[in-house]
């Protein structure tokens, strides 16, 4: 009997407080999404991503369920005393539309969510219809003083929901496999002044004593369309040449390479490009900044949005307060808890518009200031030496491409390392040790090449006979790329997975031998042999290592190794697919993505020689 009584009381309590609890749960989910979503672009945390994923899904489910319960509440209770007691709950329907519209800090959890924008549009139609039904019931049998604030919040909620679908649709148009890609690529091909300037502006920025964040943001905004197309692998690779491209001549490139703050400028600009692209793909910030008309001022658009949202919310709050003040003469007995919840919902929306940390305030700040940079993930320490080495090699490759042949980034063939070998052995010295070492790249597939050169770099690094400015960053890049290939399976086909598995069977014993006396000397002399079919990569690594040790100068040897790894990194950045880069924007980012946008900043993949002018062919 006692248990039955407790169950009955619990059921009665839940029936009494069900709507209130669910509304506050929806409110809490929105607050969590607003505050937590920005952290995923800067931190790699399974707990954070898991919590955001659950909150992102549950927020829509809970809000939709509550709207259904509100319509059921109207149908069941009719016009009796219970209806008047719960009548204020109907006032919350427009706020559920606001919740379904989502927060400015997150519109999509992943790229797949963007592609579901048509489903969201159907949801919008259904939820708006239910909200109209609730508002209509309020007009016919409820407190008519609440109709005006309900209508205002309904309009704001419908606009916010539509804005979310607009953002999803715009991002989905550039998702891999989208039917809109063909038209977007064609548009980019024929668009004049695809890049609105050459190296001149970059030289001006990097020549400053202190790099201006405003100038970095302005440059990134001007080139946003081109950077987004490049990021999503939609850049035309053969655009007709325009005469105005003299801004990309050799002199300007050399000025950029030797400017005082070129490293800080290049990486900050690459980070800014990544941050703006994240905004476009996963938040509402890009909706105002880039989805609107190109001729519109984004600051004015943001200010107009802020004024409209603030005005509607403030008027609704004032009208609601007046309705509650006049409630003493009405026939509706609103509970204090319902009134408190209503004020919480209204004041939260108003505070979001007016506080410095509010969503629209944050939007304006992101237009006027720089977004937070996206640091590399914690599984690799990207030292300043690694960044300097990568940018130096990019500049060297750009100059070499101008003086000799364009870099073919569609396949990895050791072209950068071959340029290095030609400097100290000559282009005709095919029998030299450097050229022999590089010959392995031509006969191995990509995964096997990565495995072989990772083993070679490990052996050379443990030998400790090279300059630190080359050995340490080269070894770091080797470990990072091996991590991407072996752990992440990036650019690995079925044969590559088998190759990695076979190598892992032989690598432990192989690496243990590195500590044995005389092993390095055996490699120098070519006495160490591996004939096992499971250790073919190890045998190839030994051959390459022997040839590298024949190079007289250790610095030349490490220049060769550094060129191999920097080209592999750039090759992977350009060919691993936009899906990989877009996916990891939401999980702290990858250094590989930063490298891709650095290539965009330098224009390296598209520099060709024509009458002494460096010309990106898709201009």
């Amino acid at each position: 009997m006692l248990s039955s009584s407790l169950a009955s009381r619990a059921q009665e309590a839940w029936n009494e407080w069900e709507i209130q609890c669910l509304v506050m749960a929806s409110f809490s989910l929105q607050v969590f999404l607003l505050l937590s979503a920005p952290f995923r672009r800067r931190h790699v945390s399974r707990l954070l991503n898991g919590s955001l994923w659950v909150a992102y899904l549950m927020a829509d489910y809970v809000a939709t369920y509550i709207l259904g319960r509100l319509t059921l509440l109207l149908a069941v209770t009719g016009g009796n005393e219970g209806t008047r007691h719960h009548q204020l709950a109907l006032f919350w329907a427009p706020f559920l539309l606001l919740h379904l519209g989502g927060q400015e800090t997150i519109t999509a959890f992943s790229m797949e969510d963007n592609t579901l924008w048509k489903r969201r549009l159907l949801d919008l139609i259904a939820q708006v219809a239910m909200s109209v039904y609730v508002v209509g019931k309020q007009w016919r049998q409820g407190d008519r003083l609440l109709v005006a604030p309900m209508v205002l919040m309904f309009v704001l909620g419908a606009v916010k929901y539509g804005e979310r679908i607009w953002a999803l649709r715009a991002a989905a148009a550039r998702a891999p496999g989208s039917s809109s890609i063909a038209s977007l690529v064609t548009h980019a091909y024929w668009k004049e002044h695809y890049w609105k300037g050459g190296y001149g502006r970059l030289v001006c920025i990097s020549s400053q004593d202190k790099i201006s964040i405003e100038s970095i943001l302005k440059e990134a905004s001007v080139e946003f369309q081109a950077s987004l197309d490049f990021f999503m692998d939609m850049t035309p690779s053969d655009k007709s040449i325009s005469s105005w491209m003299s801004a990309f001549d050799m002199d300007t490139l050399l000025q950029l390479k030797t400017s005082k703050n070129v490293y800080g400028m290049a990486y900050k600009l690459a980070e800014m490009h990544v941050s703006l692209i994240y905004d476009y793909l996963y938040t509402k910030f890009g909706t105002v900044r880039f989805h609107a008309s190109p001729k519109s001022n984004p600051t004015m658009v943001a200010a107009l949005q802020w004024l409209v949202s603030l005005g509607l919310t403030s008027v609704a709050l004032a009208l609601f307060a007046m309705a509650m003040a006049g409630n003493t003469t009405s026939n509706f007995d609103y509970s204090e808890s319902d009134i408190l919840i209503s004020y919480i919902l209204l004041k939260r929306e108003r505070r979001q518009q007016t506080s410095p940390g509010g969503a629209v305030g944050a939007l304006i700040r992101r237009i006027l200031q720089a977004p937070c940079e996206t640091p590399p993930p914690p599984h690799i320490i990207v030292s300043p030496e690694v960044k300097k080495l990568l940018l130096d090699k990019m500049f060297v490759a750009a100059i070499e491409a101008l003086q000799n042949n364009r870099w073919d980034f569609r396949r990895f063939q050791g072209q950068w390392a071959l340029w290095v070998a030609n400097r100290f052995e000559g282009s005709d010295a095919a029998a030299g040790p450097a050229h022999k070492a590089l010959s392995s790249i031509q006969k191995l597939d990509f995964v096997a090449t990565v495995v072989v050169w990772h083993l070679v770099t490990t052996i050379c690094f443990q030998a400790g006979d090279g300059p630190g400015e080359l050995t340490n960053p080269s070894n770091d890049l080797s470990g990072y790329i091996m991590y991407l290939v072996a752990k992440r399976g990036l650019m690995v086909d079925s044969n590559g997975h088998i190759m990695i598995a076979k190598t892992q069977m032989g690598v432990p014993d192989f690496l243990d031998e590195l500590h044995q006396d005389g092993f390095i000397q055996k490699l120098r002399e070519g006495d160490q042999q591996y004939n096992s079919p499971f250790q073919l990569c190890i045998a190839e690594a030994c051959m390459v290592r022997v040839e590298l040790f024949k190079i007289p100068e250790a610095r030349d040897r490490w220049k060769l190794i550094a060129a191999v790894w920097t080209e592999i990194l750039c090759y992977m950045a350009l060919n691993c697919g936009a899906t990989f880069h877009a996916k990891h924007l939401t999980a702290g980012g990858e250094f590989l993505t930063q490298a891709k946008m650095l290539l965009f900043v330098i224009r390296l993949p598209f520099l060709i020689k024509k009458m002494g002018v460096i010309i990106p062919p898709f201009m």
Side-chain angles (χ1 to χ4, degrees):
M1 294 294 294
L2 179 60
S3 60
S4 176
S5 176
L6 290 176
S8 177
R9 291 181 180 179
Q11 182 65 39
E12 291 177 0
W14 175 248
N15 292 337
E16 177 70 20
W17 293 96
E18 176 187 8
I19 296 297
Q20 290 87 341
C21 292
L22 290 174
V23 168
M24 292 309 297
S26 179
F27 170 81
S28 301
L29 288 171
Q30 295 301 318
V31 172
F32 176 78
L33 288 172
L34 175 66
L35 299 179
S36 301
F39 290 100
R40 68 174 183 157
R41 68 193 299 161
R42 300 189 296 271
H43 301 283
V44 180
S45 171
R46 291 185 178 180
L47 178 61
L48 175 62
N49 283 338
S51 301
L52 279 173
W53 178 70
V54 172
Y56 178 81
L57 294 179
M58 290 301 298
D60 290 344
Y61 294 153
V62 171
T64 303
Y65 176 77
I66 298 173
L67 273 175
R69 290 295 296 169
L70 288 178
T71 58
L72 183 62
L73 178 67
L74 286 170
V76 171
T77 57
N80 58 21
E81 187 70 22
T83 302
R84 290 195 294 270
H85 183 69
H86 290 286
Q87 192 72 37
L88 196 55
L90 304 180
F91 178 69
W92 303 334
F95 293 94
L96 299 174
L97 273 184
L98 281 169
H99 293 177
L100 288 169
Q103 299 301 312
E104 279 76 1
T105 54
I106 178 171
T107 55
F109 184 81
S110 64
M111 282 297 293
E112 289 77 8
D113 294 322
N114 288 320
T115 61
L116 300 177
W117 69 270
K118 292 182 180 179
R119 182 181 300 178
R120 295 288 186 184
L121 180 60
L122 181 61
D123 291 340
L124 170 62
I125 297 173
Q127 307 308 334
V128 167
M130 281 197 292
S131 298
V132 170
Y133 174 73
V134 174
V135 173
K137 285 290 186 179
Q138 180 72 25
W139 170 261
R140 287 194 297 172
Q141 63 186 42
D143 188 351
R144 294 195 175 187
L145 293 177
L146 294 178
V147 173
M150 284 184 72
V151 170
L152 292 177
M153 297 310 297
F154 169 80
V155 171
L156 183 60
V159 170
K160 290 288 187 180
Y161 204 163
E163 187 181 60
R164 180 185 185 184
I165 296 173
W166 185 19
L168 293 174
R169 180 180 179 275
R174 299 179 180 276
S178 171
S179 59
S180 303
I181 289 181
S183 60
L184 290 173
V185 171
T186 303
H187 174 73
Y189 182 86
W190 293 108
K191 187 176 181 180
E192 294 184 0
H193 304 300
Y194 192 62
W195 277 337
K196 301 176 177 61
Y199 291 129
R201 290 202 307 266
L202 301 183
V203 172
C204 293
I205 296 173
S206 59
S207 299
Q208 299 173 356
D209 293 332
K210 184 178 181 181
I211 297 177
S212 170
I213 295 298
E214 289 75 13
S215 60
I216 292 289
L217 178 58
K218 181 180 179 180
E219 180 69 18
S221 299
V222 167
E223 295 188 343
F224 173 76
Q225 195 66 50
S227 67
L228 178 63
D229 288 344
F230 182 81
F231 182 90
M232 300 304 296
D233 296 335
M234 296 171 57
T235 300
S237 59
D238 187 23
K239 189 165 175 64
S240 57
I241 297 171
S242 302
S243 59
W244 63 274
M245 286 312 301
S246 59
F248 288 87
D249 58 21
M250 172 65 87
D251 292 339
T252 314
L253 176 62
L254 293 177
Q255 289 178 19
L256 178 63
K257 182 179 183 297
T258 57
S259 56
K260 63 173 69 175
N261 286 322
V262 63
Y263 297 104
M265 181 279 301
Y267 278 98
K268 286 184 181 296
L269 186 55
E271 290 162 359
M272 189 69 72
H273 282 308
V274 171
S275 187
L276 294 181
I277 291 170
Y278 173 90
D279 286 345
Y280 187 93
L281 296 178
Y282 297 110
T283 75
K284 289 185 181 180
F285 296 127
T287 304
V288 174
R289 181 191 285 272
F290 299 114
H291 294 182
S293 172
K295 298 181 180 179
S296 61
N297 187 323
T299 305
M300 294 301 297
V301 173
L304 180 61
Q305 180 194 21
W306 175 75
L307 288 174
V308 172
S309 300
L310 178 61
L312 291 177
T313 307
S314 300
V315 173
L317 177 60
L319 291 175
F320 178 79
M322 293 172 59
M324 292 301 100
N327 185 49
T328 55
T329 60
S330 69
N331 296 324
F332 296 94
D333 181 20
Y334 300 131
S335 68
E336 293 183 359
S337 60
D338 288 358
I339 296 175
L340 177 61
I341 292 175
S342 300
Y343 273 117
I344 290 175
L345 294 175
L346 278 166
K347 290 188 176 181
R348 180 260 177 185
E349 291 300 326
R350 187 174 186 275
R351 180 176 176 80
Q352 186 171 342
Q353 311 303 330
T354 58
S355 67
V360 178
L363 171 60
I364 297 175
R365 288 200 311 277
R366 292 183 68 80
I367 290 176
L368 299 177
Q369 301 177 6
C372 297
E373 66 181 49
T374 304
H379 51 256
I380 175 176
I381 300 175
V382 181
S383 63
E385 290 77 14
V386 171
K387 292 185 174 183
K388 184 177 185 302
L389 174 67
L390 179 60
L391 190 59
D392 284 342
K393 291 298 181 181
M394 285 185 181
F395 276 119
V396 171
I399 295 173
E400 285 285 353
L402 172 65
Q403 295 175 343
N404 298 285
N405 297 311
R406 178 183 176 184
W407 174 45
D408 184 5
F409 60 87
R410 293 167 295 183
R411 62 191 183 97
F412 176 71
Q413 50 189 349
Q415 191 173 355
W416 294 14
L418 186 61
W419 289 336
V420 173
N422 290 340
R423 290 196 196 101
F424 60 83
E425 286 188 346
S427 57
D428 298 329
H435 286 78
K436 286 184 177 180
L438 295 176
S439 64
S440 64
I441 297 176
Q442 306 299 326
K443 60 184 179 182
L444 297 175
D445 60 23
F446 177 71
V447 175
T449 299
V450 171
V451 172
V452 166
W453 280 88
H454 176 66
L455 297 176
V456 168
T457 305
T458 302
I459 300 171
C460 293
F461 184 76
Q462 292 191 9
D465 60 347
E469 67 271 16
L470 291 175
T471 58
N472 293 328
S474 298
N475 188 62
D476 289 342
L477 282 177
S478 172
Y480 176 57
I481 292 172
M482 197 65 216
Y483 161 81
L484 293 175
V485 171
K487 298 295 184 181
R488 293 285 185 89
L490 189 62
M491 300 185 69
V492 180
D493 56 12
S494 56
N495 292 331
H497 287 295
I498 296 174
M499 173 67 67
I500 292 173
K502 288 182 176 181
T503 304
Q504 287 176 337
M505 296 177 64
V507 164
D509 295 336
F510 175 74
L511 294 178
D512 288 342
E513 289 189 80
L514 291 176
H515 303 287
Q516 297 179 7
D517 294 338
F519 180 72
I520 297 298
Q521 184 63 31
K522 290 181 180 180
L523 288 178
R524 285 178 180 271
E525 298 172 356
D527 294 338
Q528 196 75 20
Q529 299 294 329
Y530 285 87
N531 298 318
S532 170
F534 295 102
Q535 296 177 333
L536 294 179
C537 281
I538 299 175
E540 189 69 26
C542 291
M543 184 278 294
V544 174
R545 181 66 178 88
V546 168
E547 296 298 333
L548 289 179
F549 267 120
K550 293 179 181 179
I551 299 176
E553 296 292 334
R555 176 174 290 275
D556 292 337
R557 181 186 315 130
W558 277 100
K559 284 182 179 179
L560 200 71
I561 296 174
V564 168
W565 287 119
T566 49
E567 185 180 0
I568 289 178
L569 183 73
C570 295
Y571 165 78
M572 293 180 68
L574 292 172
N575 293 277
C576 67
T579 301
F580 174 86
H581 294 295
K583 176 182 178 181
H584 287 86
L585 286 183
T586 63
E590 279 286 353
F591 181 60
L592 193 68
T593 302
Q594 194 178 57
K596 180 173 184 176
M597 299 316 297
L598 198 64
L599 288 167
F600 172 80
V601 172
I602 304 301
R603 316 296 200 243
L604 176 56
F606 310 104
L607 299 182
I608 61 176
K609 180 181 180 181
K610 185 176 179 66
M611 299 178 62
V613 178
I614 307 176
I615 302 175
F618 58 89
M619 297 296 298

